[in-house]
Amino acid sequence: MDACIFCKMVAGTIPVKKIHDDDACVGIHDINAQAPVHALFFPKRHIATLNEIGVEDRELLGSLMLAATRYASESDIAESGFRLVMNCNKDAGQTVYHIHLHLLGGRTMAWPPG
Ligand code: 5GP
Ligand code: ZN
């Protein structure tokens, strides 16, 4: 998708430091971190929202979760705890329309989220 910033990061036309890169997905630091650790994991293939996923995406979604939890471990927040979040559409506050999994940790978080 030409206009999508995450697709441009995958293609390399927007340079970004990758903290994870495999066949299926990429991990980056969030530019506007909301916690000491705030990373984003997204598929290399463009999927705009969670409303577009299908059964064929089960493995892909598992890859995102695996990459995020491995990075949590590497960042020493696995034991203290972390949160994984995917926002879908306007009410959830989605701003980048290429699905991504937020990994947040390194501080105590409130529940319910705002
Ligand atoms: P959403 O609100 O869609 O769930 O999350 C989008 C996230 O992408 C936000 O936390 C935002 O800070 C992050 N983001 C937006 N543009 C960029 C960018 O150009 N680089 C990086 N590293 N993160 C970005
Ligand atoms: Zn995209």
Side-chain angles (χ1 to χ4, degrees), residues 14-31:
I14 292 181
V16 66
K17 182 187 169 192
K18 291 178 182 144
I19 57 172
H20 177 88
D21 191 356
D22 66 33
D23 286 352
C25 64
V26 167
I28 63 171
H29 293 294
D30 196 293
I31 202 169

Side-chain angles (χ1 to χ4, degrees), residues 1 4-8 45-47 97-98:
M1 237 237 185
C4 172
I5 55 165
F6 287 177
C7 282
K8 286 181 180 166
R45 180 162 61 84
H46 184 84
I47 303 172
Y97 281 79
H98 177 132

Side-chain angles (χ1 to χ4, degrees), residues 5 9 28-32 40 87 93-96 100 102:
I5 55 165
M9 288 174 187
I28 63 171
H29 293 294
D30 196 293
I31 202 169
N32 183 23
L40 304 171
N87 295 320
Q94 185 174 3
T95 56
V96 175
H100 49 280
H102 292 258

Side-chain angles (χ1 to χ4, degrees), residues 11-100:
T13 52
I14 292 181
V16 66
K17 182 187 169 192
K18 291 178 182 144
I19 57 172
H20 177 88
D21 191 356
D22 66 33
D23 286 352
C25 64
V26 167
I28 63 171
H29 293 294
D30 196 293
I31 202 169
N32 183 23
Q34 300 300 313
V37 176
H38 187 177
L40 304 171
F41 297 85
F42 50 90
K44 290 189 167 174
R45 180 162 61 84
H46 184 84
I47 303 172
T49 79
L50 281 174
N51 292 328
E52 276 83 61
I53 61 165
V55 284
E56 67 280 7
D57 298 317
R58 282 181 297 192
E59 195 173 329
L60 178 61
L61 294 166
S63 299
L64 296 179
M65 196 158 281
L66 203 56
T69 54
R70 289 218 171 121
Y71 189 71
S73 218
E74 284 167 25
S75 306
D76 289 325
I77 58 168
E79 294 309 317
S80 52
F82 58 85
R83 187 170 289 172
L84 297 179
V85 177
M86 291 184 94
N87 295 320
C88 180
N89 275 337
K90 166 173 69 68
D91 277 1
Q94 185 174 3
T95 56
V96 175
Y97 281 79
H98 177 132
I99 62 166
H100 49 280

